[in-house]
Structures are given as structure tokens and as C-alpha cells.
Amino acid sequence: YAMLSGINNAIARLTDQQQLYEEACRIAVEHGRFGIAWIGQFNADRMEIVAVAAAGLGADSMLRHTAVSLQPGVTSEANVAPRAFRERRPAFDNDIAASPEGGRRRQEAIRRGYRSVITLPLTVEGDCVATFSLFAKEPGFFDEEELALLDELAADVSFGLESIAEREKVEYLSCYDPLTGLPNRTLFGDRAQHQVRARGGENVLIALVLLNI
């Protein structure tokens, strides 16, 4: 509950996606008392879930940097992250030591003493854009009550991501033409003002050239 409250507070005040990812991981470890929190973002070109934020790990940890492949036949079914991504719902394993063939990340987690893991899909407009993985040292950690809370947590973080995406879209459309993607008059005016102000009181001639194509 403390973790849920903390992350909802972060959603209310943060306007940057990366900051939200990092804060969610920090709160999960410090308030949720999970040993490891890891968020990976979907990369469509590489068909991978690529790490973007983590807590409870050193900067050089393999668990922090290893991507999760979504290519068919590459990742073991024991790996919960691809399942959560494909099914758009939480996937968990309450005894990861029973299936160590789940890949390097799972083997490293087992070596560190972790026994339970859950991955939560984070969605924007129905598409899974990232996954949020949490590791616990107790086997059988994710019971029905815990799953209900974490499902609510994933929905809240997804709502935060949608709000950030909507805000960024509005900001983009205010400065760029939606058809061509080219800068519009508003952005030109803003850049022109910056150029004028940057010169301060200098006696410099400024020329504006208009080309009618």
C-alpha cells in the first residue's frame, strides 16, 4: 500500500516518462521492499524489451542491462516478461529456482537468492510499451491479494504514461504541422524571439527571409 501511494504521488507530479520509470523502481524497492525492480521498454525494431530503469542493482549488474528477447523460439516460456507482454496481463513465477532454464537474467536472480518474480505490462492506448518486473526472495510471494494490488499499480502507471504521451502530443502539435511534420509558425516565432533576445543590446542587423514556394 505504501508503494501504491508513493507511485501514485509520483504520477501526479512527474511529466517525464523516464523520470516516472526511475521513480517507480525506486519506490518499489524502498517502500514496497522488493529486492529488485526493473522496467524495460519495448523496442519494435529489435523485438526486445530493453532496460530503461532499475533499482536494487549496481550500475554494472548484468540484470540491469540485459534485454529480453521477444523473438519466437528465442526466450524460454519460463521467462515471465514475454508472457506478460504478449498477454497484456501480469505474469508471475513463485518458484523461479524450479525452472532455471529461463535465461541469464533468471539464473542471475537465482544466484542472488531471489525466488519469486512478477512482470506487469505497462500499456498506452491498449499497446504494451514497457514491462515492470519485481523480484522477491520469498518463494510463493505473489498471492491473490498481492496480485490485485500490483494489477492496480500497473493500471496506475499505465495511466501516468498515457497522460505523459497525451501531453507530449499536444505540445508537438502546437509547434509542428500534423500533416508534414514540419515546424509551424508558432515554433518559428519562438525560435526568432530566442535569437533576438540572445543578442541583448548588441547593434546587430537581423534579417528575415521569406521564400514563397
Side-chain angles (χ1 to χ4, degrees), residues 21 39 77 160 191 212-213:
Y21 285 154
I39 292 180
E77 280 300 310
R191 294 296 187 268
N212 185 10
I213 302 175

Side-chain angles (χ1 to χ4, degrees), residues 58-99:
D60 59 345
S61 170
M62 182 271 288
L63 277 173
R64 178 183 282 270
H65 300 291
T66 303
V68 177
S69 175
L70 297 173
Q71 298 285 354
V74 174
T75 305
S76 167
E77 280 300 310
N79 195 321
V80 296
R83 280 195 282 132
F85 178 87
R86 289 195 303 267
E87 298 172 9
R88 307 293 194 270
R89 62 181 180 180
F92 66 95
D93 188 336
N94 273 327
D95 186 10
I96 61 175
S99 304

